[in-house]
C-alpha cells in the first residue's frame, strides 16, 4: 500500500468533509500496555493542532492496546507537522507506549460492494481452520475489514466483517470449507436488520429438547421397538411423515392420560436452551416452536419457557385414555413452513428477519423459508441444504450467529439477578 493511500482503520465508509477529497492526512497509531486515559491523552495531545478526526479504531487484547486515529494534517508549513509528530512521540514515550505516524492523502478507500458478517464457531478454533477460512474469503474477492471475538465458551466464536463479496457467494464458498475443516460457519448480510426485532422459531424434538417425545410415550406403552421400526421405515422413505405419525400414534392406544405428566417430567432441555430463549426475550425477540410431536408437551414448554408461539399435533384423549389418533391439522414438513409464515405475520416480522432452527428433513422447508436457517446437530442432507449449521451440543450458540456476544448474555443475566434479587 502506497503512502498516498492510508489503510482502512475501521468499517465506516469514506466520508465527505475535511479529508473527503485528496487533502493531506495522518494515520496515528499507538501501541502498548493498556491503562485508563490513553485515548483521552492522545486526543488532548492532538487538540493543540486543531486537527479534525476522520476515523478512529481501538482494540484491547490481553491488556495490550492498539489505537488508530486518522486525522487531517495540521495547517501551516512542514515544521508544524514535524512538531506534531515529535509531540505525539514524546507523549507516547512518557507512557512507555510506541507511536507510528504515516502520511497519506484523503480518507480510507471505500469498501467494496457487498457487506457480510461471517461467524466462525470452533471447539476449539485452530490456527489452521482460521487460516483456511480467511484464505477462502480472499478467494471470493472479499476483504476482511475487522475481526473480533464474540465468545470464548462454550465454544470459541469469532466474527469477520467482510466487504467486496456477495453474501450468497461467500456462503457457498465457506460452507464447503467449513465441512472440510469441521467448524461451523454462518454468513449473513450486514445491515440494520441484523439487530432489528426478529422472530426465532425452533423445532422441538432433538433441537429444543434432547428427546423424541413419541419415544417417551412409547416407553410407557411398552412399544419402543415397534415405534423405532416405524421411524426407521420413514427414514428409509417407505412412509411419509403423516403415515409414520399415524402408525406410531396408533401404538399408544389405551395409554392412560396420566402418562402425559410423566412424559413432561422426563423431557430434557438441550444445553443452552434456557439461555437462548431468555436472552432473545430480553432483547425483544419473539420466540416460537413448531413440532411434529404433541401439544401435550409443547403447551407445557410454552408456559415454562415463556414462548410467544407454539404449534404441534394433538393426541386425542377420550374418557382419560389415548385413542391412538391425532386431531386437527397435521404438522408435517410443509406445515412447519406454513406455521413459520403465520407466526411471522402475527409477530409483524418480515420473513427475511426470521430465524429457523431444526435438525431433521421435515424441518427443511421451514429452514429454507426463513431469513436464516440453522441446522442444529443435523443429518448431512439437512446441513447441506440449510443456510448454516451448528454442530456443537449447545443451543445458545445460535446467539452468536445473530452477533450477540457472550458478554451481552452475561450482562443481561447479571441485570436480571440484580433486578429480582
Amino acid at each position: 500500500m502506497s503512502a498516498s493511500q492510508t489503510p482502512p482503520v475501521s468499517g465506516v465508509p469514506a466520508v465527505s468533509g475535511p479529508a473527503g477529497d485528496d487533502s493531506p492526512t495522518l494515520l496515528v497509531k499507538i501501541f502498548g500496555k493498556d491503562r485508563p486515559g490513553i485515548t483521552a491523552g492522545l486526543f488532548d495531545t492532538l487538540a493543540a493542532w486543531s486537527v479534525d478526526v476522520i476515523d478512529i479504531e481501538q482494540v484491547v487484547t490481553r491488556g495490550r492496546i492498539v489505537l488508530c486515529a486518522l486525522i487531517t494534517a495540521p495547517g501551516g508549513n512542514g515544521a508544524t507537522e514535524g512538531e506534531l509528530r515529535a509531540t505525539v512521540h514524546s507523549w507516547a514515550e512518557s507512557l512507555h507506549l510506541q507511536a507510528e505516524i504515516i502520511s497519506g492523502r484523503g480518507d480510507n478507500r471505500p469498501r467494496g460492494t457487498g457487506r457480510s458478517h461471517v461467524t466462525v464457531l470452533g471447539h476449539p478454533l485452530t490456527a489452521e481452520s482460521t487460516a483456511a477460512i480467511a484464505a477462502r474469503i480472499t478467494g471470493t474477492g472479499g476483504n476482511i475489514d475487522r475481526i473480533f471475538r464474540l465468545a470464548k465458551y462454550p465454544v470459541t466464536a469469532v466474527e469477520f466483517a467482510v466487504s467486496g463479496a456477495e453474501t450468497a457467494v461467500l456462503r457457498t464458498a465457506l460452507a464447503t470449507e467449513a465441512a472440510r475443516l469441521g467448524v461451523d460457519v454462518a454468513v449473513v448480510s450486514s445491515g440494520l436488520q441484523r439487530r432489528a426485532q426478529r422472530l426465532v422459531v425452533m423445532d422441538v424434538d432433538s433441537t429444543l429438547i434432547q428427546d423424541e417425545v413419541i419415544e417417551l410415550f412409547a416407553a410407557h406403552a411398552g412399544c419402543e421397538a415397534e415405534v423405532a421400526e416405524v421411524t426407521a421405515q420413514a427414514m428409509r422413505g417407505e412412509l411419509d411423515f403423516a403415515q409414520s405419525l399415524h402408525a406410531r400414534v396408533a401404538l399408544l392406544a389405551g395409554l392412560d392420560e396420566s402418562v402425559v405428566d410423566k412424559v413432561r417430567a422426563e423431557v430434557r432441555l438441550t444445553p443452552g436452551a434456557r439461555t437462548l430463549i431468555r436472552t432473545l426475550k430480553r432483547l425483544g425477540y419473539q420466540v416460537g416452536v413448531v413440532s411434529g410431536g404433541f401439544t401435550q408437551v409443547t403447551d407445557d414448554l410454552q408456559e415454562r419457557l415463556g414462548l410467544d408461539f407454539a404449534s404441534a399435533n394433538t393426541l386425542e384423549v377420550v374418557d382419560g385414555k389415548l385413542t391412538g389418533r391425532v386431531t386437527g391439522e397435521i404438522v408435517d414438513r410443509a406445515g412447519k413452513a406454513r406455521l413459520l409464515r403465520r407466526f411471522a405475520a402475527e409477530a409483524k416480522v418480515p420473513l427475511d428477519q426470521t430465524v429457523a432452527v431444526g435438525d431433521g428433513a421435515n424441518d427443511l422447508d421451514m429452514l429454507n423459508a426463513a431469513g436464516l436457517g440453522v441446522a442444529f446437530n443435523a443429518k448431512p442432507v439437512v446441513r447441506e441444504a440449510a443456510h448454516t449449521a451448528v454442530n456443537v451440543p449447545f443451543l445458545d450458540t445460535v446467539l452468536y450467529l445473530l452477533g450477540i456476544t457472550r458478554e451481552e448474555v452475561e450482562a443481561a443475566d447479571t441485570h436480571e439477578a440484580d433486578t429480582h434479587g
Side-chain angles (χ1 to χ4, degrees):
M1 183 175 293
S2 66
S4 64
Q5 176 59 62
T6 54
V9 183
S10 77
V12 299
V15 296
S16 59
D21 49 21
D22 201 33
S23 302
T25 57
L26 297 175
L27 178 62
V28 181
K29 298 182 177 181
I30 304 298
F31 314 86
K33 185 177 180 181
D34 187 35
R35 72 197 73 180
I38 290 177
T39 305
L42 172 63
F43 288 99
D44 278 343
T45 303
L46 295 173
W49 277 267
S50 300
V51 296
D52 295 327
V53 178
I54 304 166
D55 201 352
I56 310 171
E57 183 162 327
Q58 178 173 308
V59 177
V60 176
T61 304
R62 295 290 297 267
R64 308 292 292 183
I65 187 172
V66 178
L67 170 59
C68 299
L70 182 62
I71 61 173
T72 55
N77 55 34
T80 302
E81 181 179 322
E83 290 170 358
L84 182 151
R85 288 173 175 267
T87 302
V88 170
H89 280 286
S90 177
W91 167 80
E93 290 172 5
S94 72
L95 296 177
H96 305 289
L97 300 170
Q98 293 178 285
E100 180 182 3
I101 303 175
I102 303 171
S103 299
R105 305 195 73 85
D107 198 358
N108 302 315
R109 285 185 294 190
R111 304 297 185 203
T113 57
R115 306 277 200 285
S116 302
H117 293 282
V118 177
T119 305
V120 183
L121 309 178
H123 191 56
L125 181 63
T126 66
E128 176 188 6
S129 57
T130 305
I133 293 296
R136 185 55 68 94
I137 290 172
T138 302
T140 65
N143 183 70
I144 299 171
D145 300 327
R146 187 176 180 227
I147 307 174
F148 63 96
R149 187 178 70 183
L150 294 169
K152 63 181 180 181
Y153 72 91
V155 298
T156 300
V158 296
E159 182 173 285
F160 296 73
V162 178
S163 62
E166 294 301 322
T167 299
V169 174
L170 265 179
R171 183 178 285 159
T172 300
L174 294 178
T176 303
E177 198 68 24
R180 183 182 71 83
L181 296 168
V183 298
D184 298 329
V185 177
V187 182
V188 297
S189 297
S190 182
L192 292 175
Q193 70 273 14
R194 191 177 189 225
R195 281 301 186 104
Q197 185 188 50
R198 282 187 170 187
L199 168 68
V200 178
V201 176
M202 291 175 281
D203 173 44
V204 175
D205 292 9
S206 298
T207 300
L208 179 64
I209 67 174
Q210 301 178 57
D211 312 282
E212 293 289 330
V213 169
I214 185 68
E215 294 178 2
L216 296 179
F217 277 100
H220 290 281
C223 58
E224 292 172 278
E226 293 90 336
V227 164
E229 174 54 31
V230 175
T231 301
Q233 287 178 312
M235 293 181 65
R236 291 194 298 265
E238 297 169 9
L239 297 173
D240 64 21
F241 178 81
Q243 291 173 317
S244 168
L245 176 67
H246 289 304
R248 287 179 291 179
V249 170
L251 296 169
L252 307 180
L255 202 58
D256 193 88
E257 185 182 15
S258 63
V259 167
V260 169
D261 288 335
K262 296 177 182 178
V263 168
R264 287 176 174 177
E266 292 165 354
V267 165
R268 301 167 300 163
L269 292 174
T270 298
R274 288 187 184 278
T275 300
L276 171 66
I277 295 169
R278 181 174 64 241
T279 303
L280 291 173
K281 296 290 291 179
R282 288 175 187 164
L283 293 174
Y285 288 54
Q286 297 186 63
V287 185
V289 294
V290 292
S291 176
F294 310 111
T295 57
Q296 280 84 354
V297 171
T298 58
D299 287 351
D300 180 60
L301 290 170
Q302 182 175 17
E303 182 178 352
R304 286 166 51 195
L305 300 174
L307 301 173
D308 298 284
F309 304 98
S311 188
N313 300 299
T314 299
L315 293 169
E316 184 182 63
V317 179
V318 175
D319 296 330
K321 303 287 184 181
L322 273 61
T323 66
R325 296 186 295 271
V326 292
T327 62
E329 182 181 1
I330 298 296
V331 179
D332 56 9
R333 175 170 169 167
K336 288 187 174 185
R338 285 195 301 272
L339 287 164
L340 171 70
R341 293 186 176 93
R342 183 190 306 170
F343 293 168
E346 293 177 15
K348 296 180 172 55
V349 172
L351 199 59
D352 62 3
Q353 288 176 212
T354 62
V355 180
V357 187
D359 73 296
N362 65 332
D363 297 316
L364 277 174
D365 288 4
M366 176 178 72
L367 298 182
N368 289 328
L372 176 65
V374 181
F376 181 73
N377 290 316
K379 296 175 178 60
V381 65
V382 181
R383 291 200 303 267
E384 291 167 7
H387 297 141
T388 189
V390 171
N391 295 300
V392 293
F394 311 108
L395 194 56
D396 53 341
T397 54
V398 172
L399 293 169
Y400 310 141
L401 306 184
L402 305 177
I404 299 167
T405 68
R406 192 75 201 178
E407 287 78 10
E408 289 174 303
V409 175
E410 292 172 350
D413 285 343
T414 300
H415 175 73
E416 179 167 279
D418 291 343
T419 302
H420 295 90

